[in-house]
Amino acid sequence: MDMTTVAVAIFVAAYALIISEKVHRTIVGIVGAMLMIIFGIISQETAIHHIDFNTLGLLMGMMIIVNITSETGLFNS
């Protein structure tokens, strides 16, 4: 089977699982990335190289701020 076909199949399956909400989207994303590496579609070095740590830091900071703010009751109507 062609690698492009395998990559598209993994992508479509991951999208379907995310849309169905049967499995948490974080787990689907991690398993999809693992399958891409296992099947040799992308190398581990390339996968790590494409991680944007600035974006991850920004998201973590936003989650911390939202968590602290939600504990104050700001989001309760």
Side-chain angles (χ1 to χ4, degrees):
M1 192 183 304
D2 184 27
M3 288 297 172
T4 305
T5 308
V6 174
V8 169
I10 292 171
F11 180 75
V12 169
Y15 236 84
L17 284 172
I18 290 171
I19 290 171
S20 71
E21 294 183 355
K22 300 232 184 255
V23 183
H24 196 275
R25 62 181 168 257
T26 305
I27 295 171
V28 173
I30 291 171
V31 170
M34 284 175 29
L35 288 174
M36 293 286 212
I37 293 171
I38 289 170
F39 284 116
I41 297 167
I42 188 170
S43 70
Q44 187 174 4
E45 293 85 22
T46 305
I48 291 173
H49 176 73
H50 284 2
I51 296 173
D52 188 358
F53 290 102
N54 292 329
T55 302
L56 288 178
L58 176 67
L59 289 172
M60 284 180 23
M62 288 173 49
M63 288 179 193
I64 291 169
I65 290 172
V66 167
N67 188 20
I68 292 170
T69 309
S70 67
E71 290 178 8
T72 66
L74 180 69
F75 300 123
N76 296 335
S77 343

